[in-house]
Amino acid sequence: IMSFNKNTFFVGIANSFHDSAMAIVSPDGEVVFAEATERVLQNKRAIGNAPDQFLRTAATIAEHCPAGARIVLAQPWSTSMVAQMADNTDLDRLGEFIDRANREDVPPSLLDQYAFSQFCRQAAPPVIQITGANLRFSLTERASEYNIEPEIRSFDHHLSHAATACLTSPFQESACAVIDGYGEGRSYSCFYFKEGRIEKIDTPVHRQATSLGYFYMTICRLCGFGLFSGEEWKVMGLASYGTYDPDIAAVLIPLVQVEGLNLVQCSFAEMYQIYKKLERFRRRPNSPALDVANLAHTAQTIFSNVMIEFLQNLQRQTGLRNVAMGGGCLLNSAATGLVVEQTGFTNCHVFSAPADDGNAIGAALLAWQEANPASQRLAKIQSPYLGSTMSSTMLDKVKEHSGLKVHVLPESEIMSYTAEALVNGKIVGWARGRAEFGPRALGNRSILADPRSDTIKERINASIKFREEFRPFAPAILEEHASAYFEAYHPTPYMERALRFKPEMQHKVPGVVHVDGTGRLQTVSKSLNPTFHQLISAFFEKTDIPVLLNTSFNVMGKPIIHSVEDALAVFHTSGLDLLIINDHVIEAVAA
């Protein structure tokens, strides 16, 4: 273990070639910055892009780390990961099986999975191998200001997920489950967490291991959606429009089953036959997505059942009541919404960025722990508001040169002004404070609307988000009123789970009630986001409804906005009525 001084900052670099990100942890173990690469690039998921963007990274280091600081880099892959990818026996066996079967006869969905795995195998190593290169070079002009450790601290991928999950939680002790598309030799892991320390629960992989993440990717492709364009959400939204089909279930169930703390699947030969059968359920070209709603619903049910059974086994084995969870599969809010109700765990924590972008925080915190073995990070809910702020300089330029109607309001007036606009049916682009970390807008980079309208969903989907009519919108609700609106309520600060609305409340907020009666809620507290809490409170005072419709400030296919310029682009090319950036209120000029 290297020696570190008290002015050491830990820079975590999530470098999985998709969903890359950077995070900074201070000498006292506090996360002071975290941001996904896709935001600054405005390139959805930033496929193949290094997380330490040239120049941008140097400016970020200078903003959060004082001159004279020692910089330690950390990555969420072990040093052997590149070799592991090259020596992927299961993937080689699958390729050999496909070759023997004659590619022309191989089901397209199986070829999709093999092609995706091969792409990961080829694309990930270069990104992992150049980790930190941009950062080091972009800081050469400031070499006298920063002392960058030459060795990058490397940690197991699932351990990094576990660190993000556990060390952002309020728990002193918990079980931890990591479930994703792929890790280092497996796609699921279990851990025991107590007083800041994470210990792996040994669960040797046996038989033919499988991936719940890959299972969902297969369904995504069969439904006609993209793998790398963030379209898994579409499967979740579509699922609520379908019903459980026993014929589809009989084909899908052997692909992923639970044995203790293992996920297993059938043999390659059986899988080949299953994928052939699945082709008859595939969405046909130019057909509406609703044609495969039963496929989406059945697959979502199986996904949820497998996750719940796996967690039930973890709860029985550990006997614990708290669980922290990480990995990309935990972005499935329909499944996580069932955890407390069905697993035996009474408290569940999923951070705002459970997927690979969140591993920037996990790796940085593991490096901090390594350097401070006697220290313990205090257990508390981690704020997700860790990203960049909007440029005041650019706002001044907008006011001076844009020709837009711009006025600046004091804080005391912005809330009432915005609430009144929402009451009057305006759809508002809202960008204030630091950006959220993770894929979901939590009130700082949001599009907001009145949830009382029964036509607002169609309006936003058609004229602002430009997306399918079956896509739902989230309710942001004051924490103190949430139990009155939702059954089996538990705090959901990161919009991480979908819960069922109480029947008597659904008619009050039809704009945020999905077709199955659920809502992927965000509970808004004064402690985590006092500004957003104040806005919803102002709306509540005018309407007696403590809820706003909250969706991410972007259009379909683009990441959440990063800059003033991004916000203006959405404003000018969509049906937004009003744009509020910090204390600047921007209105369209009448034609």
Side-chain angles (χ1 to χ4, degrees), residues 143-440:
S144 61
E145 297 180 44
Y146 298 104
N147 176 14
I148 303 179
E149 286 293 321
E151 181 182 354
I152 295 176
R153 315 306 297 158
S154 298
F155 300 96
D156 176 81
H157 189 68
H158 280 184
L159 178 62
S160 300
H161 273 306
T164 305
C166 296
L167 297 174
T168 63
S169 80
F171 305 142
Q172 288 286 348
E173 183 178 23
S174 74
C176 175
V178 172
I179 307 173
D180 63 3
Y182 68 97
E184 300 195 31
R186 61 194 304 157
S187 64
Y188 53 89
S189 297
C190 296
F191 300 84
Y192 175 66
F193 173 70
K194 186 174 182 180
E195 296 178 350
R197 303 303 162 192
I198 303 167
E199 180 181 339
K200 181 83 176 286
I201 296 174
D202 187 25
T203 53
V205 176
H206 62 99
R207 283 184 55 192
Q208 180 67 41
T210 189
S211 164
L212 200 52
Y214 275 24
F215 171 85
Y216 213 81
M217 288 179 190
T218 296
I219 303 305
C220 194
R221 292 294 289 145
L222 288 170
C223 288
F225 304 138
L227 292 181
F228 272 134
S229 48
E231 295 194 332
E232 292 88 348
W233 321 117
K234 295 185 181 183
V235 178
M236 273 193 290
L238 183 61
S240 298
Y241 287 82
T243 58
Y244 189 80
D245 186 322
D247 292 334
I248 296 175
V251 178
L252 287 175
I253 285 173
L255 285 178
V256 56
Q257 298 185 63
V258 182
E259 288 187 5
L261 294 182
N262 277 292
L263 301 179
V264 299
Q265 67 182 11
C266 51
S267 67
F268 284 139
E270 293 170 305
M271 185 166 57
Y272 175 79
Q273 296 302 322
I274 287 171
Y275 276 93
K276 288 185 72 171
K277 293 177 183 177
L278 283 175
E279 285 304 308
R280 67 188 174 101
F281 302 113
R282 178 189 285 272
R283 179 181 171 188
R284 300 307 169 200
N286 302 316
S287 66
L290 290 173
D291 283 359
V292 290
N294 288 352
L295 171 63
H297 180 95
T298 305
Q300 175 63 50
T301 301
I302 292 169
F303 178 97
S304 297
N305 289 344
V306 168
M307 181 179 288
I308 294 304
E309 184 180 354
F310 184 82
L311 292 172
Q312 286 172 339
N313 293 344
L314 178 62
Q315 197 282 322
R316 280 193 289 266
Q317 180 163 326
T318 62
L320 297 172
R321 292 299 180 184
N322 300 326
V323 63
M325 300 189 293
C329 289
L330 275 306
L331 286 170
N332 192 302
S333 54
T336 55
L338 303 172
V339 171
V340 171
E341 190 177 355
Q342 298 186 11
T343 63
F345 289 112
T346 55
N347 298 292
C348 164
H349 172 79
V350 179
F351 184 52
S352 64
D356 280 12
D357 52 349
N359 273 357
I361 287 180
L365 287 173
L366 287 170
W368 178 84
Q369 280 194 332
E370 191 177 68
N372 299 274
S375 299
Q376 181 182 332
R377 192 170 182 270
L378 294 177
K380 64 179 181 180
I381 284 285
Q382 170 67 53
S383 169
Y385 306 103
L386 298 165
S388 301
T389 58
M390 290 291 182
S391 167
S392 58
T393 300
M394 185 56 64
L395 282 171
D396 290 339
K397 291 179 180 178
V398 170
K399 187 176 180 182
E400 183 177 356
H401 301 294
S402 70
L404 293 169
K405 184 179 178 181
V406 182
H407 49 281
V408 179
L409 292 180
E411 186 76 13
S412 59
E413 295 181 26
I414 283 180
M415 303 306 165
S416 178
Y417 178 91
T418 307
E420 188 64 28
L422 292 164
V423 169
N424 291 329
K426 302 289 187 183
I427 300 175
V428 179
W430 178 265
R432 306 190 84 228
R434 297 183 68 178
E436 306 90 335
F437 183 49
R440 291 165 180 155

Side-chain angles (χ1 to χ4, degrees), residues 480-519:
E480 54 269 31
H481 293 276
S483 61
Y485 276 75
F486 290 93
E487 297 177 351
Y489 167 71
H490 283 80
T492 310
Y494 307 121
M495 207 185 282
E496 72 271 23
R497 68 190 94 184
L499 299 179
R500 188 165 299 280
F501 276 97
K502 291 182 176 179
E504 66 272 21
M505 292 300 186
Q506 294 185 20
H507 73 281
K508 294 186 175 184
V509 287
V512 290
V513 180
H514 199 25
V515 67
D516 61 354
T518 65

Side-chain angles (χ1 to χ4, degrees), residues 128-146:
I128 294 172
Q129 289 171 321
I130 66 167
T131 295
N134 285 342
L135 186 151
R136 293 178 191 280
F137 185 72
S138 61
L139 284 176
T140 52
E141 293 181 357
R142 300 183 177 185
S144 61
E145 297 180 44
Y146 298 104

Side-chain angles (χ1 to χ4, degrees), residues 570-588:
V570 176
F571 182 58
H572 281 298
T573 59
S574 74
L576 279 179
D577 299 307
L578 192 64
L579 176 59
I580 297 177
I581 306 178
N582 295 342
D583 56 355
H584 286 59
V585 178
I586 302 172
E587 300 180 46

